Amino acid sequence: MMHSILFADDEKSILKSLRRLFISFDYKLFFAEDATQALQIMSEIPIEMVISDMRMPLMNGHKFLKEVRRLYPNTIRIILSGFSDEKEIYKAVLDGSAKMYLLKPWEPVQLIDAISNLFEFKDRLESKHILNIIDKINDLPAVTDIYSKLCNLIENEGSIAEIAELIEEDPAISAKILQLINSAFYNKKIGSVKQAVVYLGINVIKNMVLSTSLFSYVATNSKAHFNQLFSRQAILTTKILEFTYEEFLEKKLPVNYLTAGLLHDIGLVAMQKHFSDKYLNAFKICSIQGRAIYEAESEMFAATHQEIGGYLLEWWGIPYPIVESSLYHHDPLASSTVNRELVCAVHLADYYAWCYLGIKNLVKLDDRVFDSMGLNQERCESLVNEALHSWKDESGFKQLS
């Protein structure tokens, strides 16, 4: 089946260039010079992917993609715009209007590959073996109301007081945020949510609200020990991921990647929640026998936790790089990865976190990622080990026996 793409841009020269670039590929191509024309096309023809500029007359790209999301939630929404639109691009990714963005001027090969990879990603998540498992998970939730309200507040530049007031409506989320700010990681003595918001920053707060909401879903009826293990692994993965970017890649982890560590294994816990003792038994056997858990999942369920996690995060409307880091974190060099650096970093962080928690055989390290990222394996492992021991001393993390 031919995939369909709609390009929306008010510059005719841009649309002509895109037409020339993709005319020889096996896609159904549609072009619109403004949002109104684009929406008219979508009302008449099923469109699988929309690629929009930010600056357009009457309705800008952000508002247009919001409307596409409302009317056609399953359509892949991409921004193709310039550096000058960075603030609006960030807002569109933050509120879920766009799955990802590509910058002008584009590299033809990069753009072609990105679109091809996104369709491959879509086809994989819609494959029969994944949908068969999803059909058995009969209580897929939407992202919680408090998270949606928080996104709206952030988008509309709500005040710190308004954000704190919203968070305080949920005692569980308030408690988690205060627990974090008063933990050894931050070592602050803060008693109010408002103070915590000021210190942690909007992005960290947003991620805490999101992760707490999703954890509450997967925790219901799940094994307490398993949930504790997963929570510790997720936190450690996040810490190691940030460390990897700062120490090895010499840059800050981008704010729109902050939840990659927390959410990369959400499918693992979701599968345990719905398949309970059968899954937990397989988990234990794999950890003892030195067998990768995703190999056993393929045999038992015909789907892996990476695939289920990717599907759930896509369902929840999480930005594409986070979904991709869940779907590919055990296959980081897959040809279809778009955000390869992030996926490789999550792969390393996930592996080191499981090793530190005493479960060294559950996942396998693909040591090719070091070359892919331009890193020295021996140096990386030495520095990660030093960091893990320092965090243990500071935060009370204890290695599982």
Side-chain angles (χ1 to χ4, degrees), residues 223 272-283 300:
K223 301 291 184 181
Q272 190 277 321
K273 167 184 165 69
H274 291 281
F275 302 109
S276 194
D277 292 338
K278 180 181 178 182
Y279 187 83
L280 189 55
N281 186 54
F283 185 92
M300 295 175 65

Side-chain angles (χ1 to χ4, degrees), residues 9 43 55 83 86 101 131 176 190 219 243 245 247-248 258 278 286 301 324 340 368 378 399:
D9 198 303
S43 71
R55 296 186 182 185
F83 286 101
E86 184 178 6
Y101 64 89
L131 295 179
K176 282 287 185 183
I190 290 177
F243 181 83
Y245 267 79
E247 294 296 323
F248 305 145
L258 286 173
K278 180 181 178 182
C286 286
F301 306 103
E324 190 179 51
R340 179 162 294 179
R368 295 176 300 166
E378 185 176 347
Q399 193 166 350

Side-chain angles (χ1 to χ4, degrees), residues 64-93:
F64 164 58
L65 293 177
K66 266 189 178 181
E67 187 68 3
V68 173
R69 182 188 184 189
R70 184 182 71 83
L71 296 172
Y72 313 101
N74 294 325
T75 298
I76 302 171
R77 303 173 302 278
I78 310 297
I79 295 169
L80 181 62
S81 202
F83 286 101
S84 59
D85 302 315
E86 184 178 6
K87 185 176 180 181
E88 198 68 27
I89 289 171
Y90 176 71
K91 284 183 179 181
V93 173

Side-chain angles (χ1 to χ4, degrees), residues 105-335:
W106 63 80
E107 286 288 337
V109 173
Q110 182 185 20
L111 181 59
I112 291 166
D113 286 348
I115 290 174
S116 173
N117 292 345
L118 285 165
F119 278 128
E120 184 174 334
F121 163 85
K122 182 176 185 289
D123 291 341
R124 182 174 178 181
L125 289 188
E126 293 177 355
S127 63
K128 187 176 180 180
H129 71 284
I130 295 179
L131 295 179
N132 285 340
I133 294 294
I134 293 297
D135 284 344
K136 298 175 183 178
I137 302 177
N138 56 14
D139 63 340
L140 289 180
V143 171
T144 58
D145 186 49
I146 187 172
Y147 180 75
S148 299
K149 289 180 179 177
L150 178 61
C151 288
N152 287 331
L153 267 179
I154 294 171
E155 179 188 347
N156 295 312
E157 300 181 351
S159 68
I160 296 296
E162 290 175 314
I163 290 171
E165 185 178 344
L166 173 65
I167 291 169
E168 287 170 346
E169 293 178 8
D170 191 310
I173 293 176
S174 298
K176 282 287 185 183
I177 288 172
L178 291 176
Q179 181 184 16
L180 174 67
I181 194 67
N182 287 290
S183 71
F185 284 145
Y186 290 94
N187 197 28
K188 297 291 179 181
K189 303 302 178 186
I190 290 177
S192 78
V193 171
K194 183 177 179 180
Q195 286 179 299
V197 172
V198 171
Y199 185 84
L200 294 173
I202 297 301
N203 292 310
V204 173
I205 293 296
K206 179 173 178 283
N207 291 323
M208 286 295 296
V209 171
L210 174 63
S211 59
T212 302
S213 301
L214 300 189
F215 289 167
S216 66
Y217 155 65
V218 298
T220 308
N221 298 324
S222 295
K223 301 291 184 181
H225 174 73
F226 190 89
N227 286 329
Q228 182 186 39
L229 174 64
F230 171 75
S231 296
R232 293 165 72 182
Q233 202 275 347
I235 293 171
L236 272 175
T237 299
T238 301
K239 291 288 289 182
I240 298 170
L241 181 63
E242 293 175 351
F243 181 83
T244 298
Y245 267 79
E246 291 178 6
E247 294 296 323
F248 305 145
L249 301 177
E250 298 181 348
K251 57 185 176 182
K252 286 284 187 181
L253 179 67
V255 291
N256 55 319
Y257 293 174
L258 286 173
T259 51
L262 285 173
L263 300 177
H264 75 287
D265 261 344
I266 201 78
L268 189 151
V269 181
M271 291 184 77
Q272 190 277 321
K273 167 184 165 69
H274 291 281
F275 302 109
S276 194
D277 292 338
K278 180 181 178 182
Y279 187 83
L280 189 55
N281 186 54
F283 185 92
K284 290 178 179 177
I285 291 172
C286 286
S287 63
I288 293 170
Q289 295 180 347
R291 188 181 185 202
I293 183 62
Y294 40 86
E295 295 173 355
E297 291 167 348
S298 292
E299 292 178 6
M300 295 175 65
F301 306 103
T304 65
H305 71 272
Q306 307 99 275
E307 293 168 325
I308 300 305
Y311 187 97
L312 291 175
L313 295 178
E314 175 73 5
W315 172 273
W316 283 317
I318 306 303
Y320 179 76
I322 310 302
V323 182
E324 190 179 51
S325 66
S326 175
L327 183 61
Y328 293 114
H329 70 274
H330 291 308
D331 187 17
L333 299 180
S335 60

